[in-house]
Amino acid sequence: MKDENIIKCKNVYGKEFEVSVDKLTFRPSAYGIIFQDNKILLSRQWDGYDFPGGGIKIGETIEEALKREVKEETGLDIKMGDVVACENSFFKYRQKEKYVQSILMYYLCEIVGGEISSDFLAESEKDYVGTPEWIDLEDIEKIKFYNSIDSLKIIKKAVEVYEHGSIQ
C-alpha cells in the first residue's frame, strides 16, 4: 500500500528520493517555447538543455514571470502566446536538501526585442546556465534535456499549435 505522505522526487540526473510531503515547497513556473526558421531556442544548462523559464514569484502574474525569466535566460523580450502544456513535477534541487512540487506551464512565445545573451542571468544560475542556443528541430531527439518532463512531447505539441497560427 502506498504511503500518501511520501512522494518521490527526482534530481536533474534522474535519481529518486522518497520525501515526506511536509518537506515539499510549492513552486509554480512558466516556460517559453520560441521557434524561428525550423529551430527552437533552448537554455543551455550543464551539458544539456532546458526551456527558458522558471519560478513565478509571489505577487507576479504568469505573464510577468514568463517575460522576466525568458529575458534573464535568453536576453530576449517576448510576447506571450497560447499555453501548450501544463505538467507536474516533484524534484530535488541540485545542491540543496530542498524538495519541490512544481506546476510547469509552457507557452508559445514570439520575440519582440532584445538580443541573445547570458548577461541577464541571476547570480545563482551563472554556474550552470550558458548562452541559449537555436537547435534545429530535426536534431531535437539527439540532445539531453535537464528537466523531469517529456520535453519531446511538449515540443511536438508546440509545433502543432505553432503551425496553426496560435500566437495572438
Side-chain angles (χ1 to χ4, degrees):
M1 182 169 192
K2 181 182 173 190
D3 183 346
E4 293 180 14
N5 294 317
I6 300 294
I7 195 80
K8 289 184 180 177
C9 294
K10 290 184 180 181
N11 66 10
V12 295
Y13 306 108
K15 182 178 177 185
E16 287 188 352
F17 300 82
E18 287 193 351
V19 178
S20 173
V21 294
D22 62 352
K23 290 187 177 182
L24 294 172
T25 57
F26 186 64
R27 180 181 181 264
S29 55
Y31 296 87
I33 301 173
I34 304 168
F35 294 118
Q36 185 173 296
D37 301 325
N38 208 39
K39 295 180 180 183
I40 185 169
L41 187 65
L42 295 174
S43 175
R44 187 78 168 138
Q45 298 192 2
W46 296 287
D47 61 337
Y49 298 89
D50 197 2
F51 298 95
I56 300 170
K57 295 178 180 179
I58 299 271
E60 251 183 341
T61 66
I62 296 169
E63 184 173 7
E64 289 167 343
L66 180 63
K67 288 179 177 182
R68 175 184 52 76
E69 285 285 348
V70 170
K71 180 70 171 185
E72 285 176 7
E73 293 184 16
T74 69
L76 298 172
D77 300 310
I78 52 102
K79 176 181 176 184
M80 184 172 118
D82 289 343
V83 67
V84 171
C86 188
E87 300 286 333
N88 296 292
S89 177
F90 295 89
F91 67 91
K92 177 187 180 294
Y93 275 102
R94 185 169 163 241
Q95 295 177 332
K96 302 176 187 174
E97 289 299 313
K98 184 175 180 183
Y99 302 92
V100 176
Q101 175 182 359
S102 186
I103 305 298
L104 304 94
M105 297 166 279
Y106 296 85
Y107 292 86
L108 282 177
C109 297
E110 179 182 338
I111 299 169
V112 296
E115 293 181 17
I116 290 182
S117 166
S118 58
D119 293 345
F120 299 94
L121 288 171
E123 203 58 43
S124 61
E125 295 174 320
K126 290 182 179 180
D127 65 333
Y128 68 94
V129 178
T131 303
E133 298 176 18
W134 288 105
I135 305 296
D136 195 303
L137 289 172
E138 292 179 11
D139 297 329
I140 206 69
E141 292 182 19
K142 300 174 190 171
I143 67 169
K144 178 192 269 184
F145 282 93
Y146 274 112
N147 58 45
S148 59
I149 49 96
D150 186 344
S151 298
L152 296 178
K153 179 181 91 175
I154 289 175
I155 292 169
K156 288 175 184 174
K157 185 175 179 184
V159 167
E160 289 177 21
V161 174
Y162 180 74
E163 288 176 348
H164 292 93
S166 63
I167 297 277
Q168 300 174 4

